[in-house]
Every structure is written in C-alpha cells, then in structure tokens.
Amino acid sequence: MAKINKNKFKQSFETKMYSLYAQSINDATDEQLLNVLCSVIKDIISKKWVDNKLDSQKEVYYFSIEFLLGRQLKSNLLNLGIENVVRESLKELNIDLDNLINAESDPALGNGGLGRLAACFLDSMASLNISGHGYGIRYKHGLFEQKFINGYQVEVPDNWLTQGGYVWETVRPNKAIVVKFEGNVNLIDKNGRLEVNHTDYLPIMAMPYDIPIIGYGNNSINTLRLFKSEVLSRDFGPLTVNARNSYGSYEDALKYKYYAEEISQVLYPNDSNYAGRLLRLKQEYFFVSAGIQDIIRKYKKKKLDIKKLNEKVAIHINDTHPTLCIPELMRILLDEEGLSWDEAWDITINTISYTNHTIMTEAMERWPKEMVKRLLPRIYMIIEEINKRYVNELEERKYDHEKIYRMSIIDNNDIKMANLSIVGSHSVNGVAKLHTELLKKEVLKDFYEHEPEKFNNKTNGIAHRRWLISANSELSDLITGLISEDWKTDTNKLKELEIYRNNKDVLEKIGEIKYSNKERLAKFIKEKYDIDVNPNSIFDVQVKRLHAYKRQLLNALHILHLYHELLENPNFDMEPRTFIFGAKAAPGYYLAKCIIKFINSLADKINNDPRIDNKIKVVFIENYGVSIAELIIPAADVSEQISTTTKEASGTGNMKFMMNGAITLATLDGANIEIFDQVGKDNIVIFGLSANEVLNYNKFGGYSALDLYNSNRNIKRVVDDLINGFIPNMEKEGREIYDSLITYNDEYFVLRDIENYIEAQEKIDKLYKNKDKWNEMALINIANSGVFSSDRTIAEYAHDIWFKGCEGNE
Ligand code: OAK
C-alpha cells in the first residue's frame, strides 16, 4: 500500500497545480483537477514503477489487439489503498473526488469480451505479483460512440484523447521501435549461411505509450505498453539504410505520413467477426513486431543467452490477432540472432501460448496469401517454411490428403491463423469447459488428435475488484462486515457467506442494497431518457454486443408476447418488469442494427401504452461500455445469458452479474454451465436446446422454423407483428428480421427456444414474488462467484502454462 498522509498529499496537489497550470486550485476546471490528481498519483507510483524490474523472475507478455480498460482513477486508488486519504484531502480543498472520477475519459480500446478480458487479466497479473505486461495499440479513436436517432444506431467517432493525451500514459520516445513493411527480400548465401537482405521497405515508427497497471495492495506495478504509429524521424539512425526513400517529393512525404499514421488511427468495430482488411493486417503486424522487438531488446540488455529465451519469457497471444508473433520471433531468431531453424523453432514454440475465443468460423481469421506476401515479404517466407515442414510431418503420419489440407497453415488462397497459432505454440486453450470440449471434439478435432497434450481449458474470470468492490461498494462492505476482508484477495472465501442463507437480516440487507442500486439506475434513466422506471419492478437486463447468436431478439419477442398477454387480459398476473438493454452493433452488421431499431420501436410503443398500467417498461441504454456497465450490473435482478447453445465461447458479463447477486436466466452455453455447477439448479433458471441438440440440427438438419410458426399461436402472433404494422416505424427492419427467422430458417433457433424461454420467464416471475427466497438465491450466487475472479484464471494460466516447469511451480 502506498504511504501518504493528508498534509503531504494536499501539498503535492497544490504544487502540481502550479507546475502544470500556473494557477490556483480555485480557478481550475474539473479536467485540470483530474490531470493534477492523476499526475500526483503517478508521482507516488513512479519510483516503484521503475524499480519493478524483476530480473530473477520470468516475464509474461500478453499481446492483445484490444484492451478495454475502463476508467482507471477509482481502481488505481483502490489498489493503492489511498482512496480515503485522497477523498478526505480533496474535500478539505473543496473538491469532490467523485466528480473527478466521472470526469475521466473511458478508454474504449476494445469491442467486448476479448478486450475486457485482457484488461481484467492485467489487473490480476499485477495483483498476483506476476511480472506480466500488455502489448497493444494506442488507437486514436476507440470503439465508436453510439447514439440513437429515431431509434436507429448512429455511430459517432470516439475521441478519448481530446485533451491531447491520456492522463495515465507516459510516452517513451527513447524506446521507439521501427517496424518494416513491404519491400524486397533477398537471401544471400554467405559461406553457407543465409543472409537476409530486406530492401526498399517502408519504415514505420512504433512509439510506446506506457500505462501503469497497479496491483492490489502489493506494491507491484506492471506496464501496458500501447504503440502509436508515426513516421520515422530523420534522425532515427542507421536502420534507415535500406529503407525506401519516402521523402522524394512533397506528395510522397504526405503519402508516407498518411500511411504511417493510419495504422493506429482507429479500432476495428467488429466483435466476433472477421473483416479481412489490409489495414487490419498492418495493425496486427505493427504491434506484434514492435512488441517482439521490444522484448528481445530488453532481454539482450540483460546479457542473457538468447537460446534460453523461453526460460525467462512467456508470450501469450489473445486470439489470433497477434499470431504473427510466431513468424516475427522466428525472423529475429533466424535473421538477427543467427540461430538455426530448429533452434529458433524450439524456442518459439516453447515461448508462445495461444487462447482461442470463438468457435464461429466467421470470426476465424484467414489472410490472403498475396496480401501477406506483399505487405510482409520476409514473414511470408517464414510462414511458408513453417507450413512446408508441418505438412511434411503430417505426411509422415500418413494422414489422408483432406485431413492434411484441413490442417495445413496455408491453403490454396489463404493463411489460416488459428492453424498457425496451434502449430507455433506449446499451449492452446479455450475459455470455458464446454468451449474447450467443442474445440477438441469439433472445430479443432484434427489438431487435438494430433497433439492432445497442447490443449487445455482456462475458464474466464473477471476483476472482482472493479466489478464488485468498486462498482458495488455497499455490497462489498456488507460482505466484509460479515466475513472479514480476506475475500478481497482470496475470493474463495466468499463461500463463507453461505452460513447466512437463512439469516433474515442479512437477506433483507442484500435486498436493500439491490434496491438502492436500482434507484440509482432509475434516476440515471429518468435524467437521460425521461422514462420513469419503478425500482420495485424486476430489473431484467441484457447488456452485451448485439449479435444474432446472443439473441437479443429472443428477449424482445418475449416482451412482445407478454405485452399481448397483458392486452388480452389486463388482470394478467405478473410482477412489474423493467427490461433493460445495452448493446452496440458493428456498423456494417445490418441485421443487428435492425434488431436495435425493433427494440427501440417496441419500447416506444409499450412505454407509452396506458392500457398496461406500467407493468412493462423497456429501456435501451445508449453507448453501452465499461463505465455504464458499472452502473447497470449492480442494479440487475435478472441476468439474461440466452445465447444459442454452443455459440458463446464463455461470456464474462454472466460472471459480473452473478457476483452482484443477479439471478441468471440462461441456456447451458459457455460459462453459464459452470455458473450452474456452482449454484445448483435451485439458484439459476435454465432453458433451451442442449449443445448436442444444436450440433445435431447443424449436422443433420431437421429444423423448420416455418413449421413452428404455422403450428404455434404464440410464435405466429409475435412473428407476424414484425411485419403487420402493429409496431410502428420499423417496416423495413421488421421485414429483415422476419426473413431471418422464416425465409432463412432461423439460424440461431430463436423460435425453437421461445416456448421454453417463456416458461423460464414465468418461473422468474414466480420466484421474485417470494422476496426472502429471491434474496437467498442472490446470496448463494454471490457466495459461489469466487471461482470466477480473474485471479483464479490467471493463477491457472501461470501454473499450467507460463511457469510450467519453472522452479517453485509444482
Ligand atoms: C473477438 C474477435 C474474434 C474472436 C473472438 C472475439 C471475442 O470477443 N470473443 C469473446 O471472448 C470472450 C472472452 O473470452 C468470451 O467470453 C466470449 O464468449 C467470446 O465471444
């Protein structure tokens, strides 16, 4: 914990205000106050940040094209253990800490699950004293800001760097790195040794911006290093000898500047979908090459033996976006360090490990051979060689041609990045038990049979410090009061809460805290959207990216069904419900955008219909992201986790809701299964097709959405409403959704699961009527959520993958 007292803090604060802005505190804006505060905190940690080079320990490097950090001030204060001193000191200076916390920009350098997981992992690595650092891209524009205009999603560019920079970052020009694109590669035989001559390349500078990652209560500070792409400054030195002369004319110079700066300009807004654009490939190689060069430079500075790299360095790739780490490391070991192929390959495999985050083929990366060859000529040669040797190995095993073709890294047109990741790493993991099993038995079956020892599961987790201690401080304090503070560093201790399952006072208190979180959210909704929602109603929440497989449509069709029931029978017995959505759609994903419009139109109709007496309210909260999630999740009664079984690799929102005492309404998909295993059947509501049923439909057919539609009155009624004008202002969108269900046979089995889902919702309604029982269920959920802390996940990665075989790691 950082040592600091009020007087010292106030003094530093004032001095910093003068040195940064030459003015008094009284005249400062919130933005300036925030900058000053963050700067003071950076001063407090800076010595430790520098000191924190653990030479003796293995270093872990986590490569991810996304890091969805969320705001840092509150969590940094929490982790440093100085929130109270800072709050009180600022109060004495007439400054409200919460204002500053909310004034911080929210860096949205990620789309969803994969990027947020990377951020949770950074928090846990630092908190577990693992010297683990992130490498990524400092996008000028993160994920777009979402606005609704007439119910349609409109994308506005994200400007998180408006103030010219980010309060927590430190730029390090002396650590800049050159990344080479394009050009020609010649291999020259120098007395039997191949020398690689890369000429006419375009040099791009990767400028490191470091963000400190502060461990919880342990003085450990790691680094997230994000690279910004820039033109190479003329004085960069001898590396430019072979570079293309880009400064020939004014026009060329401008083109070069554009080329360079474009690379880190914007985050691709696709989630679980692959776009295949050249710029994205540039982004991937850019941060990978900069990161790997950086690692090797640091390693060599310590004068360590390059042949023992894997004993001191672990490199983890977050899905396949950083897969070029494999050929890039090979390139450096071969071309710059002069190792033989076999030596380099051995080191590479033993250094790199890979996590797969999806089973959906549309999200699997494939890069056209020709594109890679032109952009990255040397990397392409190395991938070709890896492929050649691998195919030889498979042929020696006498596998049939089809199997070899499936397993090859390069096929007729493309480089298959998942295949390259598996072949070039020593560990491949999925992110929940079912997901890993599906990888082994279905999607990556050939590879699993070939090298079963590589495969393992690492069920995802979440940073409980952000998602419970910080986002729901009242609940966190209640827990601490009941079972002491130890759970904050050992979440398994949450189990001790179970002894209170019949304690009326505790259960009531849990209910009260939920109610006050709901009031807070209701106030936000009223202020922002002028919609009155009743905190006594069930807050039924689905927040996540908008994707057909996540089935927001199923949720919406059920709301429509309930609405009809109420219209038919005004005395229809149901607890009042507030349905809350939050979801961004990829800008090019038309069906997803239609679903947003549908839900907004439905909300409009229902919220303004006096006939249903406020029994249902529907609120679609704009611009869902980390900060808004911190407000919504603690206020949820019901957590909607209703993906088509087999499609959601894990889900992590499900864990956040559970930890905050929401009851999960779910299919047995992803990590929902493990939530079920933890809480037992009486504390979760499950519905829908099983994994096997979905797999069988996919393999053998036999599903007809049209038959269901024709034979089931409830289904017909809601599906017809999509196109009969019952819900105004969505003619085109309703038709698109209708076609996806009926004409294209409902790929995600929405109609197949709807009856079952309606029943599950009725069950939720019944359960909620008994408040004591409901609060007991909430308590059981909280008590059993400890296993979903990312501390547990990271401990497993460390033990089974990164430090495997290391001394002291049994
Ligand atoms: C994004 C791009 C390509 C492939 C996968 C993703 C992705 O975000 N996957 C998500 O990863 C999360 C973290 O592991 C999982 O919880 C989600 O289920 C998965 O969809």
Side-chain angles (χ1 to χ4, degrees):
M1 297 271 179
K3 282 198 196 72
I4 182 164
N5 65 46
K6 278 205 270 181
N7 284 337
K8 211 172 122 195
F9 175 82
K10 284 195 292 185
Q11 209 175 26
S12 316
F13 195 88
E14 268 171 316
T15 314
K16 187 63 81 180
M17 179 58 81
Y18 284 115
S19 73
L20 281 184
Y21 296 111
Q23 65 171 17
S24 75
I25 291 175
N26 295 338
D27 296 331
T29 62
D30 273 359
E31 197 180 303
Q32 290 173 324
L33 292 169
L34 173 69
N35 278 344
V36 169
L37 174 58
C38 295
S39 185
V40 170
I41 295 171
K42 273 195 346 190
D43 288 346
I44 297 173
I45 61 171
S46 60
K47 172 116 198 332
K48 285 185 207 109
W49 197 9
V50 176
D51 281 348
N52 202 257
K53 297 279 167 282
L54 304 169
D55 284 45
S56 56
Q57 206 180 314
K58 193 170 184 179
E59 307 272 330
V60 177
Y61 297 101
Y62 196 83
F63 280 72
S64 178
I65 203 158
E66 303 186 357
F67 285 93
L68 190 42
L69 291 179
R71 289 179 177 144
Q72 294 295 291
L73 177 55
K74 199 170 177 199
S75 77
N76 283 347
L77 292 173
L78 171 75
N79 287 6
L80 289 167
I82 59 172
E83 182 174 342
N84 286 342
V85 192
V86 169
R87 187 178 289 282
E88 286 163 22
S89 313
L90 289 176
K91 206 167 167 196
E92 289 173 17
L93 296 170
N94 263 328
I95 301 165
D96 180 0
L97 174 62
D98 290 324
N99 278 348
L100 306 192
I101 287 173
N102 293 327
E104 188 184 339
S105 63
D106 182 346
L109 308 185
N111 274 284
L114 171 139
R116 182 54 229 169
L117 187 78
C120 287
F121 281 6
L122 291 179
D123 183 283
S124 285
M125 285 192 285
S127 297
L128 294 181
N129 274 314
I130 292 170
S131 188
H133 312 279
Y135 277 116
I137 299 176
R138 182 184 181 268
Y139 300 103
K140 184 170 180 198
H141 303 285
L143 187 62
F144 64 87
E145 193 187 321
Q146 178 194 52
K147 291 209 185 302
F148 292 147
I149 298 184
N150 296 330
Y152 290 101
Q153 168 175 299
V154 173
E155 299 95 26
V156 179
D158 160 65
N159 269 324
W160 70 295
L161 293 172
T162 37
Q163 299 143 35
Y166 174 51
V167 282
W168 295 106
E169 70 189 4
T170 300
V171 57
R172 302 200 191 276
N174 58 326
K175 304 260 168 78
I177 285 166
V178 174
V179 178
K180 300 176 185 177
F181 289 98
E182 306 183 16
N184 302 307
V185 172
N186 293 302
L187 303 181
I188 303 158
D189 192 341
K190 284 250 168 103
N191 304 326
R193 232 197 114 225
L194 279 186
E195 202 179 278
V196 178
N197 199 15
H198 190 174
T199 56
D200 231 17
Y201 58 81
L202 260 175
I204 305 294
M205 183 139 77
M207 185 61 77
Y209 284 72
D210 288 358
I211 298 169
I213 304 294
I214 300 170
Y216 179 76
N218 66 357
N219 282 330
S220 127
I221 301 177
N222 290 334
T223 301
L224 169 59
R225 177 160 285 183
L226 300 179
F227 293 106
K228 173 173 181 267
S229 60
E230 294 181 1
V231 293
L232 190 68
S233 62
R234 280 155 197 263
D235 53 11
F236 207 79
L239 278 163
T240 58
V241 165
N242 277 333
R244 196 184 301 172
N245 180 358
S246 312
Y247 312 110
S249 66
Y250 180 62
E251 204 189 332
D252 280 351
L254 280 184
K255 271 194 204 151
Y256 170 52
K257 184 168 156 46
Y258 183 78
Y259 187 107
E261 291 175 1
E262 192 192 19
I263 295 174
S264 61
Q265 197 69 10
V266 61
L267 166 76
Y268 273 88
N270 299 317
D271 185 75
S272 303
N273 191 29
Y274 154 69
R277 312 297 288 264
L278 175 63
L279 180 59
R280 172 73 161 198
L281 183 62
K282 288 181 190 167
Q283 291 184 333
E284 294 186 358
Y285 184 65
F286 168 72
F287 90 99
V288 155
S289 174
I292 298 282
Q293 290 187 60
D294 198 35
I295 292 169
I296 300 294
R297 181 175 62 186
K298 278 190 249 183
Y299 183 82
K300 291 188 70 171
K301 213 168 150 196
K302 290 182 192 163
K303 304 238 174 323
L304 295 164
D305 180 359
I306 195 75
K307 293 188 180 165
K308 293 190 172 162
L309 183 76
N310 55 288
E311 291 175 18
K312 287 280 172 203
V313 169
I315 293 173
H316 200 88
I317 56 178
N318 197 24
D319 215 89
T320 60
H321 320 115
T323 292
L324 294 173
C325 278
I326 294 162
E328 177 66 1
L329 182 55
M330 284 297 285
R331 181 187 71 75
I332 294 175
L333 296 175
L334 293 167
D335 302 355
E336 293 176 12
E337 298 302 321
L339 301 192
S340 71
W341 181 278
D342 289 341
E343 285 170 330
W345 186 238
D346 202 49
I347 294 167
T348 299
I349 288 197
N350 286 311
T351 303
I352 291 178
S353 46
Y354 156 60
T355 299
N356 171 292
H357 291 269
T358 185
I359 63 159
M360 296 196 303
T361 43
E362 64 265 34
M364 300 252 184
E365 287 191 298
R366 309 169 66 95
W367 289 108
K369 280 197 286 203
E370 292 309 315
M371 195 191 273
V372 178
K373 204 179 203 167
R374 227 182 76 74
L375 185 71
L376 310 168
R378 178 60 183 145
I379 291 300
Y380 183 75
M381 285 177 179
I382 293 171
I383 297 173
E384 245 187 349
E385 183 66 22
I386 296 173
N387 183 52
K388 196 178 96 192
R389 288 169 185 249
Y390 188 57
V391 168
N392 280 346
E393 180 188 321
L394 301 179
E395 279 167 352
E396 272 167 29
R397 296 276 197 107
K398 306 261 178 292
Y399 294 160
D400 65 54
H401 284 303
E402 266 177 36
K403 181 163 171 164
I404 294 176
Y405 189 74
R406 284 198 303 268
M407 293 177 78
S408 64
I409 294 163
I410 308 180
D411 67 17
N412 291 337
N413 305 308
D414 296 331
I415 299 174
K416 297 174 274 185
M417 302 303 268
N419 297 18
L420 177 55
S421 309
I422 299 165
V423 176
S425 64
H426 63 281
S427 167
V428 178
N429 74 278
V431 290
K433 282 180 191 159
L434 174 67
H435 174 230
T436 302
E437 285 312 302
L438 290 171
L439 290 179
K440 294 198 301 200
K441 295 204 183 103
E442 307 276 333
V443 190
L444 305 178
K445 183 167 179 274
D446 296 325
F447 294 98
Y448 175 61
E449 285 169 0
H450 182 60
E451 291 180 296
E453 66 288 348
K454 270 192 187 175
F455 286 75
N456 62 92
N457 176 56
K458 295 285 165 282
T459 298
N460 282 166
I462 56 165
H464 66 279
R465 286 168 284 274
R466 176 176 292 268
W467 296 106
L468 175 51
I469 303 178
S470 171
N472 198 346
S473 55
E474 269 195 82
L475 180 59
S476 168
D477 291 346
L478 173 71
I479 296 170
T480 302
L482 295 171
I483 62 171
S484 97
E485 196 128 56
D486 297 353
W487 69 274
K488 291 184 178 172
T489 45
D490 177 2
T491 50
N492 289 323
K493 294 238 156 70
L494 285 170
K495 268 231 176 270
E496 293 170 13
L497 285 173
E498 282 207 3
I499 56 170
Y500 296 100
R501 64 181 301 168
N502 297 318
N503 183 319
K504 246 184 143 29
D505 291 343
V506 170
L507 297 183
E508 238 166 57
K509 192 80 195 98
I510 286 181
E512 280 165 24
I513 291 170
K514 183 62 80 183
Y515 185 82
S516 99
N517 292 336
K518 287 164 76 175
E519 274 185 325
R520 190 171 54 156
L521 179 58
K523 187 163 166 271
F524 170 86
I525 291 171
K526 176 69 185 167
E527 279 168 10
K528 197 110 205 239
Y529 304 107
D530 198 23
I531 300 174
D532 289 298
V533 303
N534 172 8
N536 280 310
S537 65
I538 303 176
F539 276 25
D540 180 322
V541 183
Q542 188 173 20
V543 285
K544 47 184 79 246
R545 283 300 285 255
L546 203 313
H547 204 298
Y549 85 80
K550 294 181 189 279
R551 299 201 295 191
Q552 283 91 351
L553 180 56
L554 176 60
N555 189 342
L557 291 176
H558 165 254
I559 298 172
L560 189 49
H561 167 78
L562 266 188
Y563 181 45
H564 275 296
E565 297 290 283
L566 278 172
L567 290 179
E568 272 186 5
N569 173 12
N571 296 323
F572 178 72
D573 175 37
M574 66 170 277
E575 289 292 306
R577 265 236 220 174
T578 302
F579 292 95
I580 295 168
F581 292 88
K584 289 183 183 177
Y589 190 173
Y590 184 59
L591 178 62
K593 290 181 135 177
C594 290
I595 293 172
I596 289 181
K597 173 65 178 160
F598 166 44
I599 296 173
N600 277 326
S601 304
L602 182 66
D604 243 15
K605 174 144 180 136
I606 291 181
N607 294 345
N608 295 305
D609 188 340
R611 293 174 295 177
I612 59 165
D613 195 22
N614 291 322
K615 286 252 177 76
I616 309 175
K617 283 281 162 79
V618 182
V619 183
F620 204 138
I621 294 177
E622 273 169 322
N623 203 34
Y624 179 67
V626 176
S627 294
I628 195 81
E630 288 167 13
L631 177 68
I632 296 175
I633 292 171
D637 294 308
V638 177
S639 157
E640 298 265 359
Q641 307 301 335
I642 59 178
S643 53
T644 310
T645 308
T646 72
K647 299 289 181 189
E648 188 72 271
S650 160
T652 43
N654 47 4
M655 302 168 185
K656 296 168 196 164
F657 282 100
M658 174 198 193
M659 206 174 259
N660 279 279
I663 307 309
T664 310
L665 168 55
T667 50
L668 282 176
D669 196 18
N672 300 345
I673 299 174
E674 287 153 78
I675 293 179
F676 175 93
D677 291 344
Q678 287 299 317
V679 299
K681 66 173 179 25
D682 294 335
N683 299 292
I684 187 169
V685 178
I686 298 295
F687 75 97
L689 290 171
S690 69
N692 276 334
E693 285 170 318
V694 171
L695 293 175
N696 284 338
Y697 273 139
N698 287 342
K699 276 184 200 147
F700 309 116
Y703 174 57
S704 165
L706 185 63
D707 287 352
L708 269 181
Y709 165 86
N710 283 324
S711 61
N712 183 311
R713 170 185 176 267
N714 286 336
I715 293 178
K716 187 164 188 318
R717 186 167 64 180
V718 292
V719 172
D720 284 346
D721 283 348
L722 292 167
I723 51 168
N724 64 11
F726 179 68
I727 308 157
N729 302 320
M730 48 161 265
E731 207 175 311
K732 240 174 69 199
E733 295 76 23
R735 171 62 64 182
E736 182 77 17
I737 300 170
Y738 179 96
D739 282 344
S740 79
L741 293 172
I742 304 300
T743 318
Y744 298 107
N745 201 29
D746 185 15
E747 186 180 349
Y748 296 102
F749 306 109
V750 172
L751 303 183
R752 178 68 177 75
D753 275 347
I754 201 166
E755 278 293 341
N756 217 218
Y757 181 61
I758 292 170
E759 285 162 23
Q761 285 285 21
E762 285 165 3
K763 192 166 167 194
I764 290 277
D765 184 84
K766 281 209 187 81
L767 287 167
Y768 195 77
K769 288 186 182 352
N770 181 346
K771 286 286 149 52
D772 284 345
K773 191 77 202 136
W774 185 271
N775 291 334
E776 184 189 334
M777 288 166 65
L779 178 126
I780 299 292
N781 271 272
I782 300 163
N784 290 285
S785 66
V787 67
F788 299 112
S789 164
S790 47
D791 287 1
R792 186 269 312 148
T793 316
I794 285 298
E796 287 178 9
Y797 274 96
H799 182 269
D800 302 347
I801 303 173
W802 303 328
F803 298 101
K804 198 171 180 183
C806 291
E807 222 174 287
N809 181 53
E810 275 79 47

